[in-house]
Amino acid sequence: MLNLENISKVYRTDTIETLALNTINMKIEKGEFLSIMGPSGCGKSTLLNIMGLIDEPSEGRVVVANQTVADYNSKATARFRNEHLGFIFQSFHLINDLSVLDNVELPLLYRKVSSKERRRLAEEALEQVGLHNRMRHFPSQLSGGQKQRVAIARAIVGRPEIILADEPTGNLDSVMGNEIMDILLRLNEQEGTTIVMVTHDERMAQRTHRLVRLFDGSQVQ
Amino acid sequence: MLNLENISKVYRTDTIETLALNTINMKIEKGEFLSIMGPSGCGKSTLLNIMGLIDEPSEGRVVVANQTVADYNSKATARFRNEHLGFIFQSFHLINDLSVLDNVELPLLYRKVSSKERRRLAEEALEQVGLHNRMRHFPSQLSGGQKQRVAIARAIVGRPEIILADEPTGNLDSVMGNEIMDILLRLNEQEGTTIVMVTHDERMAQRTHRLVRLFDGSQVQ
Ligand SMILES: Nc1ncnc2c1ncn2[C@@H]1O[C@H](COP(=O)(O)OP(=O)(O)OP(=O)(O)O)[C@@H](O)[C@H]1O
Ligand SMILES: Nc1ncnc2c1ncn2[C@@H]1O[C@H](COP(=O)(O)OP(=O)(O)OP(=O)(O)O)[C@@H](O)[C@H]1O
Ligand SMILES: [Mg+2]
Ligand SMILES: [Mg+2]
């Protein structure tokens, strides 16, 4: 479903060149639930951003649904992202000027969904993460873990085929973290959602199909 | 050293009133290392902000070094904060326009410290958190956990008497998380730094003197 072939990523600042990813080769099967672990700064978010077609590799190619991604800035790539991918960002990226409810409805604006139906689906996703009672709040009025849960609701509301989750439980207590894992596992088992999850939490990783470890931009063991 | 007497905090939005803290009474002794745990949204950050004189309670009083805090906006309170408190925020709050090094030097601008000495102390703090090689980076060029570590370096650089740490290891792998705990424990044991740490990680909490649990704004057991 998702093929990374010889992926490398270099970041350059005025003074330093960082090889964030070094010749990564990975296949992700449809319906798989994969974890990615590794030390802080080792390339996990960079890898997820490339899988999510948000960022372009310096070398190598990304093949999604048998098509090599040619132009990361094209409308076609943007449309593919909107229609097939759900992303939970490490720093949430909620829109501060929009209410919690409007934030969660966002992915559905790209669909042919009535505003009534959009509203219903968004409220349902907020119910799942325990935040229906905060739907009129604005992000600045939420706790850290509540922001994270809104980001999760936004990623699942459109039932995307692929969910890319960058440390989705980092700001949550273990009870809530396990509830989020239950939601993701349910999507994976019942709807066949392919999930790639970056986590620092060994216990969460153990609940998934496969674990990939990164170190200094390379896949290890 | 730090007394919270009958502290309550209410947040009001257009539609909802939240009792974030409900009659909290706590004493924090000089040199203590205290952990605070509890579910997402239960009031931990609010409690830490009130301890740090960043936020004002709706009811009750905060007594620091035997003085009741009267005016949270006064120069005197601001000066006290700068001179005695180090804060690690849950969302880091790094200055995006400043380099990593300049971010870490910030707390020292309030001291009578030469720019040469400021630079030396900042580089040393960055060494401790393993980020000396990123000192010319800007926050947008850092990974999530690297941002967290810069925030930690900034909080410890001035050797403040009290450190308030809001989930300082949430974005870090367990190895790095334990290294950060080692730094905090060393400050506590060798320099007598008083530390109040919010964490979701039971293992980190077990390494501290005392654990306080919050639930729905109240202290439990
Ligand atoms: N500015 C605000 N306006 C309205 N409600 C707020 C505001 N700030 C916080 N709250 C509410 O107060 C409660 C406590 O928030 P707080 O940030 O202290 O929780 P927390 O325990 O730190 O949570 P987390 O573990 O998720 O970081 C939350 O339910 C939150 O929605
Ligand atoms: N825009 C950028 N410019 C320069 N360097 C960057 C940039 N973005 C990331 N890096 C560097 O690339 C490396 C990998 O970053 P990445 O965010 O992928 O790490 P990570 O594994 O997600 O870390 P964490 O667990 O801390 O979130 C880091 O060392 C970081 O400093
Ligand atoms: Mg990351
Ligand atoms: Mg918090």
Side-chain angles (χ1 to χ4, degrees):
Chain A
M1 163 155 238
L2 185 57
N3 265 19
L4 303 186
E5 305 180 356
N6 290 319
I7 296 291
S8 290
K9 178 72 183 186
V10 178
Y11 291 111
R12 287 179 186 77
T13 69
D14 297 346
T15 50
I16 290 186
E17 189 166 291
T18 305
L19 183 56
L21 292 177
N22 187 358
T23 329
I24 298 282
N25 284 284
M26 284 176 67
K27 273 193 199 340
I28 304 186
E29 306 300 341
K30 192 172 185 7
E32 205 177 353
F33 193 159
L34 170 72
S35 292
I36 299 176
M37 296 188 78
S40 166
C42 76
K44 304 179 295 296
S45 296
T46 302
L47 180 59
L48 222 63
N49 291 345
I50 284 170
M51 286 181 185
L53 314 185
I54 287 168
D55 197 11
E56 194 163 350
S58 311
E59 281 178 51
R61 27 180 238 148
V62 180
V63 183
V64 198
N66 296 325
Q67 290 180 14
T68 300
V69 179
D71 176 2
Y72 284 76
N73 299 318
S74 70
K75 282 196 190 309
T77 301
R79 196 170 49 248
F80 179 90
R81 262 203 311 271
N82 297 335
E83 290 170 5
H84 299 278
L85 301 178
F87 213 115
I88 303 166
F89 295 96
Q90 189 168 1
S91 54
F92 320 141
H93 291 168
L94 300 181
I95 314 281
N96 288 324
D97 301 332
L98 296 183
S99 70
V100 160
L101 187 64
D102 288 341
N103 265 283
V104 177
E105 283 192 21
L106 270 180
L108 301 174
L109 294 177
Y110 304 110
R111 313 286 179 88
K112 309 208 180 331
V113 170
S114 74
S115 66
K116 193 170 182 302
E117 180 64 356
R118 240 184 7 247
R119 165 91 185 229
R120 189 187 68 72
L121 290 168
E123 292 201 31
E124 192 181 278
L126 284 167
E127 286 276 6
Q128 284 192 275
V129 299
L131 284 177
H132 190 267
N133 66 349
R134 286 276 183 280
M135 69 180 186
R136 304 217 171 284
H137 272 51
F138 285 78
S140 63
Q141 300 170 323
L142 298 177
S143 78
Q146 288 170 336
K147 285 183 191 127
Q148 185 157 46
R149 286 187 271 156
V150 173
I152 292 162
R154 181 181 61 186
I156 67 175
V157 70
R159 293 282 176 277
E161 286 157 50
I162 305 172
I163 290 177
L164 302 167
D166 202 345
E167 306 195 26
T169 64
N171 275 279
L172 302 173
D173 57 283
S174 52
V175 170
M176 181 59 65
N178 278 312
E179 287 177 25
I180 296 303
M181 277 304 288
D182 292 342
I183 294 171
L184 295 177
L185 283 161
R186 208 160 35 242
L187 283 171
N188 176 249
E189 289 155 13
Q190 294 173 6
E191 316 217 12
T193 310
T194 307
I195 304 182
V196 183
M197 177 179 77
V198 169
T199 183
H200 284 307
D201 192 329
E202 204 81 45
R203 294 160 298 185
M204 302 292 165
Q206 278 156 12
R207 302 182 66 186
T208 65
H209 297 152
R210 180 161 65 112
L211 167 57
V212 163
R213 289 191 190 276
L214 288 190
F215 186 84
D216 261 3
S218 298
Q219 197 171 337
V220 293
Q221 33 141 293
Chain B
M1 166 156 237
L2 185 58
N3 265 20
L4 302 186
E5 305 179 358
N6 290 319
I7 296 289
S8 291
K9 178 72 181 184
V10 178
Y11 290 111
R12 288 177 186 78
T13 69
D14 296 347
T15 49
I16 290 186
E17 190 166 289
T18 305
L19 183 55
L21 292 176
N22 186 359
T23 329
I24 299 282
N25 284 283
M26 285 176 67
K27 274 194 198 339
I28 306 189
E29 305 301 339
K30 192 170 182 10
E32 207 179 352
F33 193 160
L34 169 71
S35 292
I36 299 175
M37 297 187 77
S40 168
C42 76
K44 304 179 296 295
S45 296
T46 302
L47 181 58
L48 221 63
N49 291 346
I50 284 171
M51 286 181 185
L53 313 186
I54 288 169
D55 198 9
E56 195 164 348
S58 312
E59 283 177 51
R61 24 179 243 150
V62 180
V63 183
V64 198
N66 295 326
Q67 292 180 14
T68 300
V69 179
D71 176 2
Y72 284 77
N73 299 317
S74 70
K75 283 196 190 309
T77 301
R79 196 171 48 249
F80 179 89
R81 261 203 310 271
N82 298 335
E83 291 171 5
H84 300 277
L85 301 178
F87 213 116
I88 303 166
F89 295 95
Q90 190 169 1
S91 55
F92 320 141
H93 291 166
L94 301 180
I95 314 281
N96 287 325
D97 300 332
L98 297 182
S99 71
V100 160
L101 187 64
D102 289 341
N103 265 283
V104 176
E105 283 192 21
L106 270 180
L108 302 174
L109 293 177
Y110 304 109
R111 313 287 179 89
K112 310 208 178 330
V113 170
S114 74
S115 67
K116 194 170 183 299
E117 181 64 357
R118 252 199 337 263
R119 165 92 184 228
R120 188 188 69 72
L121 289 168
E123 292 202 32
E124 193 182 276
L126 283 168
E127 286 276 6
Q128 284 192 277
V129 300
L131 283 177
H132 190 268
N133 66 349
R134 286 275 182 280
M135 67 182 188
R136 302 218 171 283
H137 273 51
F138 285 78
S140 63
Q141 300 169 323
L142 298 179
S143 77
Q146 289 172 336
K147 286 182 191 127
Q148 186 159 43
R149 287 187 270 157
V150 173
I152 291 163
R154 181 181 61 187
I156 66 174
V157 70
R159 293 284 178 277
E161 288 158 50
I162 305 172
I163 290 177
L164 301 166
D166 201 346
E167 306 195 27
T169 64
N171 274 278
L172 303 175
D173 56 281
S174 52
V175 169
M176 181 59 64
N178 278 312
E179 287 178 27
I180 296 303
M181 276 305 288
D182 293 341
I183 293 171
L184 294 176
L185 284 161
R186 207 157 38 239
L187 283 170
N188 177 249
E189 287 153 14
Q190 294 173 7
E191 315 216 9
T193 310
T194 307
I195 305 182
V196 183
M197 177 179 78
V198 169
T199 182
H200 283 308
D201 193 327
E202 204 80 45
R203 294 161 299 188
M204 302 294 165
Q206 277 156 13
R207 301 181 66 185
T208 64
H209 298 151
R210 178 161 66 111
L211 167 59
V212 162
R213 291 191 189 275
L214 288 189
F215 186 84
D216 262 1
S218 299
Q219 198 171 336
V220 292
Q221 33 139 292

